[in-house]
Amino acid sequence: MNSILQHDLHNFENILEKAKREGIDFLNNLENIPTSNKNTIDAKRSLNELGVGSEEALKEFKERLAPLLVSSPGPRYWGFVTGGSTPASIVGDWLASVYDQNTQSVTSQGGNSALIEFETINLLLQLLELPNSFLGGFVTGATMSNFTSLAVARQWFGKQFGKDFAKNGISETINILTATPHSSSLKSLSMLGIGSQNYTVVKTIEGNREALDIADLEEKIKALNRKPFILISSAGTVNTADFDDFEAIVKLKEKYNFWWHIDGAFGGFAAVSEKYKHFVKGWEGADSITIDCHKWLNVPYESAFYLIKKEHINLQIETFQNSNAPYLGNALENFNYLNVVPENSRRLRALPVWFSLVAYGKEGFQDLIEKSTLLALRFGNALVDDGRFELLAPIRLNNVCFTLKGNENQDKVNDFLVKLNDTGKVFMTPTFYQNKKGIRASFVNWRTTEEDIKIVMEEMKNIIDDNF
């Protein structure tokens, strides 16, 4: 064994203890670490000939690399709908690295860690009050969850013409209908060979809405002359957290032949709250659903899951099966995730979610969802009360979409946001909504409190007083 590796092996516990201390120092200081910075490094570091060992590498990380990192798990990082990491989720994530499983099989001599994934999906179905008619699995994020679901939808579409697109390629024009798709869905269409621009736009409901207009949807369906199509609908649009009318879509499902996919990356968690579950009423009728865990479930990044109706398992296997690996056996009789998802190599992503659900239960996440939405409303009220800001849309859930008040200030919005983010006290993202430049704040972090809103409002007022 290499001498430095040998030294690290003998010093393993001490190395991990120092890494733990580095992590704890970061977490304990989150409120003081900037949400944004302009630090940089010379990224052309030379590779050591002999190596320096883990402790020296940790020391260099702390000196050179850690200053590049921001407090994205902190209470005032309100950009990109980014959650933090709860204590239980960090435990699960650390142990997922320690146990280092390639999570695939449920009946194998080589390890059955996929049973943990099965159990975790079962817990999530209970949390979201969805039936066990769905089969689920973990992927890296909403993009791969949308990709997985829409790949199976693509296979379904081909079967309507008696064709196997997975084996023989796309040979029919795939009809996609959608109103306000997230960019990750369009990216998935690009990766699937359908084309990121090859979809028909359904009108949205009048009156400052992003939800699809059911009447226009049916008109678009009729124009297809009974041809099959794929519907991409929203459970929480990215700007205003708007929801399509799922009960109305269920009725259309009874009349027309289509695959119904729901992108519920963050909005799907409305199902956890008695106050907001009406937003997703009827969504159990969908063929596939996308949900992120590293948003409102507050687990470390690279965690999302898909849900696809079990009745489509054959289509899913046809799409993703490793057909040139006979040692895997029959894909239906010997369930293995590498036959139903894009990746052949998969870490145990379910474990942080399992720890979170077991540790905090349904009540813990209901409290988190309802607290987040309450904070969004408080922030919106503070903006309106100040008089120099205006809301661009109603606050339906946890996203606040706003801008500087007055059309004469539209050219100042971007400059204002840059100055605000440069304070390092808060981070928000720019947006463009209904022909206006805007700013979006998303409340999903378990650490955020009303005190954070006061801190941010003070910074915003100071920037306007000093610069505008």
Side-chain angles (χ1 to χ4, degrees), residues 206-255:
E206 293 183 3
N208 203 351
R209 296 292 302 277
E210 289 187 295
L212 61 80
D213 183 298
I214 293 295
D216 187 61
L217 172 60
E218 188 155 17
E219 286 300 312
K220 296 288 195 303
I221 294 172
K222 289 177 179 177
L224 291 172
N225 294 318
R226 311 301 295 183
K227 292 178 182 175
F229 65 95
I230 298 168
L231 174 66
I232 302 175
S233 65
S234 298
T237 54
V238 73
N239 272 325
T240 68
D242 207 350
F243 289 74
D244 292 332
D245 186 341
F246 298 151
E247 289 184 289
I249 295 173
V250 168
K251 292 178 181 177
L252 291 178
K253 260 283 206 178
E254 297 170 357
K255 297 166 60 178

Side-chain angles (χ1 to χ4, degrees), residues 181-223:
H182 188 263
S183 58
S184 62
S185 289
L186 302 185
K187 185 174 184 178
S188 297
L189 295 181
S190 173
M191 293 190 293
L192 288 166
I194 297 171
S196 60
Q197 295 184 346
N198 289 335
Y199 62 92
T200 299
V201 178
V202 179
K203 292 179 183 177
T204 53
I205 300 172
E206 293 183 3
N208 203 351
R209 296 292 302 277
E210 289 187 295
L212 61 80
D213 183 298
I214 293 295
D216 187 61
L217 172 60
E218 188 155 17
E219 286 300 312
K220 296 288 195 303
I221 294 172
K222 289 177 179 177

